[in-house]
Amino acid sequence: MDEDRKNSHNERMQRKKEVVDAAIERAQEERGIVILITGNGKGKTTSAFGTLYRALGHGQRAGVVQFIKGTQATGEVVFLQQITGTQAVRYHAMATGFTWNTQNWDADKRAADEAWAQAEAMLADPALSLVVLDELTYMLKYNYLDTAQVLAAVRARPPRQTVIITGRAARPELVDLADTVSEIADRKHAFKAGVKAQAGIDF
């Protein structure tokens, strides 16, 4: 690379550094946030669990409630139980299977209410730095849970507690409430090409 291009590159990087440094200087508020991970693409739960493991790495305590999951244990949960037992993470799974498998609204509603009771207790616990509400969006989409009640509990949580909500088709009210929203797009998926779901990759 010639000297002019090197100098031009260095100048661009200096301007970028100034912008980044200014943004860091502005962001001084310390509080828990609401993170919404939605969209039709793969990786929403995986992202939430990645943040969970990050929190555990910093010695924080957390809670996890999984809605609309199958009865088969996933790799994330198996590993979580292996490394933490029940000390650092409170965990509850609705574990009724997917709604399109059960086809029983009443049973799903009862399981959803039980799972939400666990979630409400976690959202009220100041000892928990992080609460993951995995696939919560389905609970609102299918009217198993009352949206206003869910939003009120999230708003009333301890001020330093962060909440991660995952799932497709997030309601506009959730998007409005969230501080950070990531939407994962579905460009391609191996399953649609006939590739069987694999342990360690898909569950």
Side-chain angles (χ1 to χ4, degrees):
M1 183 181 292
D2 61 39
E3 287 303 316
D4 287 343
R5 292 178 64 188
K6 289 180 181 178
N7 290 336
S8 177
H9 171 79
N10 291 341
E11 289 171 2
R12 288 197 307 274
M13 293 302 100
Q14 177 59 35
R15 290 194 296 271
K16 183 176 181 65
K17 182 179 185 306
E18 291 170 357
V19 171
V20 172
D21 288 346
I24 293 172
E25 183 62 28
R26 288 193 303 271
Q28 295 300 313
E29 183 180 3
E30 294 187 22
R31 63 174 174 84
I33 62 174
V34 177
I35 301 171
L36 174 62
I37 308 172
T38 189
N40 293 333
K42 171 182 167 58
K44 296 178 288 294
T45 295
T46 306
S47 175
F49 270 82
T51 304
L52 170 67
Y53 293 133
R54 175 180 288 168
L56 295 177
H58 285 284
Q60 298 174 6
R61 294 185 60 198
V64 178
V65 177
Q66 289 197 290
F67 300 92
I68 310 293
K69 286 295 186 185
T71 54
Q72 179 183 15
T74 62
E76 300 100 323
V77 174
V78 171
F79 182 65
L80 180 67
Q81 293 168 341
Q82 289 173 348
I83 64 172
T84 67
T86 59
Q87 299 303 311
V89 180
R90 291 169 58 181
Y91 177 80
H92 179 84
M94 194 166 148
T96 54
F98 295 98
T99 56
W100 47 88
N101 288 331
T102 62
Q103 300 172 20
N104 188 331
W105 194 91
D106 290 333
D108 286 345
K109 170 63 175 162
R110 288 192 297 271
D113 287 340
E114 180 183 350
W116 176 244
Q118 297 288 330
E120 274 193 309
M122 294 178 191
L123 290 168
D125 187 349
L128 300 182
S129 299
L130 175 67
V131 174
V132 176
L133 304 177
D134 186 39
E135 309 286 14
L136 176 66
T137 60
Y138 287 102
M139 299 295 96
L140 307 183
K141 178 180 180 181
Y142 296 132
N143 296 311
Y144 294 139
L145 298 177
D146 179 71
T147 299
Q149 181 183 2
V150 169
L151 296 178
V154 173
R155 288 193 183 100
R157 73 193 189 280
R160 299 300 292 269
Q161 185 184 87
T162 287
V163 178
I164 302 178
I165 297 170
T166 73
R168 299 184 181 199
R171 290 201 169 182
E173 299 94 324
L174 277 181
V175 176
D176 291 341
L177 176 64
D179 298 283
T180 298
V181 179
S182 294
E183 186 166 357
I184 301 180
D186 184 20
R187 296 286 183 85
K188 294 176 69 175
H189 199 301
F191 180 74
K192 293 180 180 179
V195 180
K196 185 176 181 179
Q198 304 174 61
I201 302 300
D202 298 294
F203 59 89

